[in-house]
Amino acid sequence: MLSPHDLYIPEGPAGNQVAHMLWTLGFKTVAMVTQVSLPPDDPEHSKHSRPTIPLPGNPIIWNHGLSPGMTLPRSDKPPRVLSRLHVTAEGLNHLHCLGNPAAKSYDVISVEPRTEKVWNSLTQSSHLSTMYDVISWDLTQRLPFHLKRSAVKVLDQRGVKIEIRYSGGMCGSSGLRNFLSSSMELSKVVINSNQLILSSGAQSPLECRSPADLSNLAKLIGIPAHKCNRLTNQNAACLLRKSAVRTDSYKGVISGTEKQMIEESDDTINKAALQRLLMHESVTMESEECSEVRPSNKRILEVTEKSTKKLKSEN
Amino acid sequence: MVKGKNRYFLMEIHCENSLKNLTQQSMRKDILNSIEENFGIFGYACVITSLNVKYLNAHTNTAIIRVNHKYFQMLQQALTLLRTMDGKVCMLRTLHIAGTIKSCQKKLMEYDKKYLLFTYERLPNDYEKKKLVKKFIEQYKLKEKRM
């Protein structure tokens, strides 16, 4: 079953409106972004200055009733809300943010490399790639540097995704021009289109698009037709699995499921399933017992028949 | 014999302001403008003969658009990239694409039923619920008279 994701929503009241819009459009998971943008490198303070990271903000308060802008039919269950940290890195010292203990409280971590130096360090060191999940650019401007296929392939092997934010294309004609050109370039460079993700990054609710329209937009960019649906569904889900490994594991060991998790899920279904299972087991046990008894019964009968024959012959 | 194949789009218009002044002709103009903006004069020429807004309801913000089946993808892409309609910022959402107008109408009926039930369940008082049912019955009677 398809479950569309949108992993870039701004914080604050604008983000709240956008989240409600995405709910009506049928999205199942949503990520609220806290941005960390730092001033460029100062040679004097670069070694000692460690940028601080705020903790994840307040979650969205869902309005289940009727409100003037949102009277459209939607599902009863609102989408799942995740927290996301977005670091715009203009120098190498900005990447120290990723090692901060506060960063571990976020579900998804993304980096926006503004210079080629940062991009090279991100692709070359395998240790860094365990600290973040996505690379994303603001596509209303042209890409800041030329991307090589080999570097992108290395990122693909490590499970890092590349994000396309489409809301810039919905603002004006110049924005649309830049968005189309840079996203087409990205789709050319990224050979494996399972590495790409589409998300909104919208500042107002009318910049969002529905999942069906997004797959059509992906076709326009140049992604093969049979993989257009994957950008918002499977690829994003794959990213969340990778990020879960980052937060829940320690030195490659994954934590098991807790007992509470099972209890939280719908009890009635579990009980019914358990009852069915138990019934099935009991039935099989009974049948086995019967099958065991029958041959033994046969033997007894045979033995008795033989014994009666012997007795008759003796007589 | 069928003269030419068509595709019918069932669209929903999201807008912050009301679109009561929007007509079928003005909507056609806006769509043609967006096609010319995104696909140039060639795209405009491909679509202009077959493009037609068959149905528009300004109260429920739904519309049915017809186009030749060769260029339906071009139209769909132009509709996703459309930003303004009747001078107001808006967003279009495709609900259904079909080969006949009848299946589009069926889908629209289903969608409207959902819409009515959704609003009925979420109304705060019994008084307003009764009001909605009364209005609905009046509209139904008007339709029967016309028939």
Side-chain angles (χ1 to χ4, degrees), chain B residues 42-61:
Chain B
F42 177 74
Y44 185 86
C46 286
V47 164
I48 193 163
T49 49
S50 61
L51 185 75
N52 195 5
V53 178
K54 283 286 201 184
Y55 168 83
L56 175 69
N57 193 339
H59 296 285
T60 55
N61 289 356

PDB file of all heavy atoms in Angstrom, chain B residues 42-61:
ATOM      1  N   PHE B  42       4.244  25.889 -29.757  1.00  0.00           N
ATOM      2  CA  PHE B  42       3.931  24.567 -30.300  1.00  0.00           C
ATOM      3  C   PHE B  42       2.888  23.851 -29.432  1.00  0.00           C
ATOM      4  O   PHE B  42       1.910  23.296 -29.939  1.00  0.00           O
ATOM      5  CB  PHE B  42       5.212  23.729 -30.408  1.00  0.00           C
ATOM      6  CG  PHE B  42       4.967  22.335 -30.881  1.00  0.00           C
ATOM      7  CD1 PHE B  42       4.670  22.085 -32.216  1.00  0.00           C
ATOM      8  CD2 PHE B  42       5.010  21.263 -30.002  1.00  0.00           C
ATOM      9  CE1 PHE B  42       4.433  20.804 -32.654  1.00  0.00           C
ATOM     10  CE2 PHE B  42       4.776  19.982 -30.428  1.00  0.00           C
ATOM     11  CZ  PHE B  42       4.489  19.755 -31.764  1.00  0.00           C
ATOM     12  N   GLY B  43       3.115  23.893 -28.113  1.00  0.00           N
ATOM     13  CA  GLY B  43       2.172  23.271 -27.173  1.00  0.00           C
ATOM     14  C   GLY B  43       0.803  23.913 -27.257  1.00  0.00           C
ATOM     15  O   GLY B  43      -0.225  23.220 -27.242  1.00  0.00           O
ATOM     16  N   TYR B  44       0.790  25.217 -27.371  1.00  0.00           N
ATOM     17  CA  TYR B  44      -0.461  25.985 -27.494  1.00  0.00           C
ATOM     18  C   TYR B  44      -1.251  25.529 -28.723  1.00  0.00           C
ATOM     19  O   TYR B  44      -2.456  25.283 -28.659  1.00  0.00           O
ATOM     20  CB  TYR B  44      -0.105  27.467 -27.588  1.00  0.00           C
ATOM     21  CG  TYR B  44      -1.278  28.417 -27.599  1.00  0.00           C
ATOM     22  CD1 TYR B  44      -1.837  28.870 -26.414  1.00  0.00           C
ATOM     23  CD2 TYR B  44      -1.802  28.878 -28.806  1.00  0.00           C
ATOM     24  CE1 TYR B  44      -2.896  29.756 -26.417  1.00  0.00           C
ATOM     25  CE2 TYR B  44      -2.876  29.760 -28.822  1.00  0.00           C
ATOM     26  CZ  TYR B  44      -3.414  30.198 -27.627  1.00  0.00           C
ATOM     27  OH  TYR B  44      -4.462  31.072 -27.628  1.00  0.00           O
ATOM     28  N   ALA B  45      -0.509  25.378 -29.845  1.00  0.00           N
ATOM     29  CA  ALA B  45      -1.158  24.998 -31.112  1.00  0.00           C
ATOM     30  C   ALA B  45      -1.687  23.561 -31.063  1.00  0.00           C
ATOM     31  O   ALA B  45      -2.727  23.255 -31.648  1.00  0.00           O
ATOM     32  CB  ALA B  45      -0.166  25.142 -32.257  1.00  0.00           C
ATOM     33  N   CYS B  46      -0.962  22.670 -30.354  1.00  0.00           N
ATOM     34  CA  CYS B  46      -1.388  21.267 -30.254  1.00  0.00           C
ATOM     35  C   CYS B  46      -2.725  21.150 -29.539  1.00  0.00           C
ATOM     36  O   CYS B  46      -3.574  20.339 -29.907  1.00  0.00           O
ATOM     37  CB  CYS B  46      -0.345  20.452 -29.483  1.00  0.00           C
ATOM     38  SG  CYS B  46       1.135  20.129 -30.406  1.00  0.00           S
ATOM     39  N   VAL B  47      -2.889  21.970 -28.511  1.00  0.00           N
ATOM     40  CA  VAL B  47      -3.993  21.758 -27.572  1.00  0.00           C
ATOM     41  C   VAL B  47      -5.238  22.570 -27.910  1.00  0.00           C
ATOM     42  O   VAL B  47      -6.360  22.144 -27.648  1.00  0.00           O
ATOM     43  CB  VAL B  47      -3.468  22.080 -26.141  1.00  0.00           C
ATOM     44  CG1 VAL B  47      -4.592  22.263 -25.162  1.00  0.00           C
ATOM     45  CG2 VAL B  47      -2.548  20.979 -25.671  1.00  0.00           C
ATOM     46  N   ILE B  48      -5.047  23.722 -28.571  1.00  0.00           N
ATOM     47  CA  ILE B  48      -6.126  24.732 -28.656  1.00  0.00           C
ATOM     48  C   ILE B  48      -7.419  24.217 -29.307  1.00  0.00           C
ATOM     49  O   ILE B  48      -8.520  24.599 -28.911  1.00  0.00           O
ATOM     50  CB  ILE B  48      -5.617  26.012 -29.367  1.00  0.00           C
ATOM     51  CG1 ILE B  48      -6.637  27.135 -29.160  1.00  0.00           C
ATOM     52  CG2 ILE B  48      -5.340  25.779 -30.838  1.00  0.00           C
ATOM     53  CD1 ILE B  48      -6.120  28.483 -29.443  1.00  0.00           C
ATOM     54  N   THR B  49      -7.305  23.291 -30.260  1.00  0.00           N
ATOM     55  CA  THR B  49      -8.526  22.825 -30.939  1.00  0.00           C
ATOM     56  C   THR B  49      -9.370  21.899 -30.066  1.00  0.00           C
ATOM     57  O   THR B  49     -10.590  21.898 -30.152  1.00  0.00           O
ATOM     58  CB  THR B  49      -8.163  22.076 -32.236  1.00  0.00           C
ATOM     59  OG1 THR B  49      -7.155  21.130 -31.930  1.00  0.00           O
ATOM     60  CG2 THR B  49      -7.694  23.030 -33.310  1.00  0.00           C
ATOM     61  N   SER B  50      -8.692  21.087 -29.236  1.00  0.00           N
ATOM     62  CA  SER B  50      -9.441  20.076 -28.478  1.00  0.00           C
ATOM     63  C   SER B  50      -9.749  20.482 -27.045  1.00  0.00           C
ATOM     64  O   SER B  50     -10.609  19.881 -26.402  1.00  0.00           O
ATOM     65  CB  SER B  50      -8.674  18.757 -28.488  1.00  0.00           C
ATOM     66  OG  SER B  50      -7.424  18.939 -27.879  1.00  0.00           O
ATOM     67  N   LEU B  51      -9.049  21.479 -26.516  1.00  0.00           N
ATOM     68  CA  LEU B  51      -9.228  21.842 -25.097  1.00  0.00           C
ATOM     69  C   LEU B  51     -10.591  22.490 -24.869  1.00  0.00           C
ATOM     70  O   LEU B  51     -10.977  23.395 -25.607  1.00  0.00           O
ATOM     71  CB  LEU B  51      -8.114  22.797 -24.651  1.00  0.00           C
ATOM     72  CG  LEU B  51      -8.128  23.157 -23.166  1.00  0.00           C
ATOM     73  CD1 LEU B  51      -7.633  22.011 -22.324  1.00  0.00           C
ATOM     74  CD2 LEU B  51      -7.276  24.377 -22.906  1.00  0.00           C
ATOM     75  N   ASN B  52     -11.285  21.984 -23.849  1.00  0.00           N
ATOM     76  CA  ASN B  52     -12.601  22.541 -23.528  1.00  0.00           C
ATOM     77  C   ASN B  52     -12.934  22.270 -22.065  1.00  0.00           C
ATOM     78  O   ASN B  52     -12.707  21.156 -21.585  1.00  0.00           O
ATOM     79  CB  ASN B  52     -13.653  21.893 -24.443  1.00  0.00           C
ATOM     80  CG  ASN B  52     -14.948  22.653 -24.421  1.00  0.00           C
ATOM     81  OD1 ASN B  52     -15.045  23.717 -23.804  1.00  0.00           O
ATOM     82  ND2 ASN B  52     -15.956  22.127 -25.085  1.00  0.00           N
ATOM     83  N   VAL B  53     -13.451  23.288 -21.376  1.00  0.00           N
ATOM     84  CA  VAL B  53     -13.905  23.071 -19.995  1.00  0.00           C
ATOM     85  C   VAL B  53     -15.377  22.689 -20.066  1.00  0.00           C
ATOM     86  O   VAL B  53     -16.243  23.506 -20.356  1.00  0.00           O
ATOM     87  CB  VAL B  53     -13.704  24.337 -19.137  1.00  0.00           C
ATOM     88  CG1 VAL B  53     -14.213  24.112 -17.724  1.00  0.00           C
ATOM     89  CG2 VAL B  53     -12.252  24.724 -19.099  1.00  0.00           C
ATOM     90  N   LYS B  54     -15.676  21.411 -19.823  1.00  0.00           N
ATOM     91  CA  LYS B  54     -17.024  20.892 -20.029  1.00  0.00           C
ATOM     92  C   LYS B  54     -17.966  21.255 -18.888  1.00  0.00           C
ATOM     93  O   LYS B  54     -19.160  21.407 -19.086  1.00  0.00           O
ATOM     94  CB  LYS B  54     -16.960  19.358 -20.155  1.00  0.00           C
ATOM     95  CG  LYS B  54     -16.476  18.891 -21.501  1.00  0.00           C
ATOM     96  CD  LYS B  54     -17.558  19.091 -22.521  1.00  0.00           C
ATOM     97  CE  LYS B  54     -17.378  18.224 -23.743  1.00  0.00           C
ATOM     98  NZ  LYS B  54     -18.400  18.506 -24.746  1.00  0.00           N
ATOM     99  N   TYR B  55     -17.412  21.311 -17.681  1.00  0.00           N
ATOM    100  CA  TYR B  55     -18.268  21.495 -16.503  1.00  0.00           C
ATOM    101  C   TYR B  55     -17.487  22.256 -15.450  1.00  0.00           C
ATOM    102  O   TYR B  55     -16.290  21.995 -15.252  1.00  0.00           O
ATOM    103  CB  TYR B  55     -18.683  20.120 -15.981  1.00  0.00           C
ATOM    104  CG  TYR B  55     -19.333  20.111 -14.612  1.00  0.00           C
ATOM    105  CD1 TYR B  55     -20.692  20.388 -14.466  1.00  0.00           C
ATOM    106  CD2 TYR B  55     -18.597  19.814 -13.461  1.00  0.00           C
ATOM    107  CE1 TYR B  55     -21.285  20.367 -13.213  1.00  0.00           C
ATOM    108  CE2 TYR B  55     -19.190  19.796 -12.217  1.00  0.00           C
ATOM    109  CZ  TYR B  55     -20.533  20.066 -12.096  1.00  0.00           C
ATOM    110  OH  TYR B  55     -21.116  20.054 -10.866  1.00  0.00           O
ATOM    111  N   LEU B  56     -18.118  23.217 -14.821  1.00  0.00           N
ATOM    112  CA  LEU B  56     -17.463  23.967 -13.734  1.00  0.00           C
ATOM    113  C   LEU B  56     -18.490  24.279 -12.664  1.00  0.00           C
ATOM    114  O   LEU B  56     -19.542  24.847 -12.954  1.00  0.00           O
ATOM    115  CB  LEU B  56     -16.842  25.262 -14.282  1.00  0.00           C
ATOM    116  CG  LEU B  56     -16.240  26.200 -13.251  1.00  0.00           C
ATOM    117  CD1 LEU B  56     -14.988  25.609 -12.646  1.00  0.00           C
ATOM    118  CD2 LEU B  56     -15.913  27.543 -13.876  1.00  0.00           C
ATOM    119  N   ASN B  57     -18.182  23.895 -11.430  1.00  0.00           N
ATOM    120  CA  ASN B  57     -19.040  24.222 -10.299  1.00  0.00           C
ATOM    121  C   ASN B  57     -18.247  25.122  -9.353  1.00  0.00           C
ATOM    122  O   ASN B  57     -17.286  24.677  -8.727  1.00  0.00           O
ATOM    123  CB  ASN B  57     -19.476  22.940  -9.593  1.00  0.00           C
ATOM    124  CG  ASN B  57     -20.601  23.187  -8.633  1.00  0.00           C
ATOM    125  OD1 ASN B  57     -20.821  24.320  -8.195  1.00  0.00           O
ATOM    126  ND2 ASN B  57     -21.327  22.139  -8.295  1.00  0.00           N
ATOM    127  N   ALA B  58     -18.649  26.402  -9.279  1.00  0.00           N
ATOM    128  CA  ALA B  58     -17.895  27.375  -8.482  1.00  0.00           C
ATOM    129  C   ALA B  58     -18.143  27.184  -6.991  1.00  0.00           C
ATOM    130  O   ALA B  58     -17.364  27.659  -6.171  1.00  0.00           O
ATOM    131  CB  ALA B  58     -18.267  28.780  -8.901  1.00  0.00           C
ATOM    132  N   HIS B  59     -19.244  26.499  -6.617  1.00  0.00           N
ATOM    133  CA  HIS B  59     -19.549  26.301  -5.193  1.00  0.00           C
ATOM    134  C   HIS B  59     -18.715  25.174  -4.590  1.00  0.00           C
ATOM    135  O   HIS B  59     -18.196  25.284  -3.487  1.00  0.00           O
ATOM    136  CB  HIS B  59     -21.043  25.991  -5.021  1.00  0.00           C
ATOM    137  CG  HIS B  59     -21.920  27.122  -5.443  1.00  0.00           C
ATOM    138  ND1 HIS B  59     -22.079  28.256  -4.676  1.00  0.00           N
ATOM    139  CD2 HIS B  59     -22.656  27.324  -6.562  1.00  0.00           C
ATOM    140  CE1 HIS B  59     -22.897  29.101  -5.304  1.00  0.00           C
ATOM    141  NE2 HIS B  59     -23.254  28.546  -6.466  1.00  0.00           N
ATOM    142  N   THR B  60     -18.612  24.054  -5.329  1.00  0.00           N
ATOM    143  CA  THR B  60     -17.805  22.929  -4.826  1.00  0.00           C
ATOM    144  C   THR B  60     -16.378  22.925  -5.388  1.00  0.00           C
ATOM    145  O   THR B  60     -15.580  22.045  -5.045  1.00  0.00           O
ATOM    146  CB  THR B  60     -18.462  21.583  -5.186  1.00  0.00           C
ATOM    147  OG1 THR B  60     -18.674  21.549  -6.604  1.00  0.00           O
ATOM    148  CG2 THR B  60     -19.779  21.396  -4.477  1.00  0.00           C
ATOM    149  N   ASN B  61     -16.066  23.931  -6.241  1.00  0.00           N
ATOM    150  CA  ASN B  61     -14.725  24.070  -6.835  1.00  0.00           C
ATOM    151  C   ASN B  61     -14.264  22.808  -7.573  1.00  0.00           C
ATOM    152  O   ASN B  61     -13.175  22.301  -7.350  1.00  0.00           O
ATOM    153  CB  ASN B  61     -13.694  24.446  -5.764  1.00  0.00           C
ATOM    154  CG  ASN B  61     -13.887  25.858  -5.283  1.00  0.00           C
ATOM    155  OD1 ASN B  61     -14.738  26.589  -5.803  1.00  0.00           O
ATOM    156  ND2 ASN B  61     -13.103  26.259  -4.304  1.00  0.00           N
TER     157      ASN B  61
END
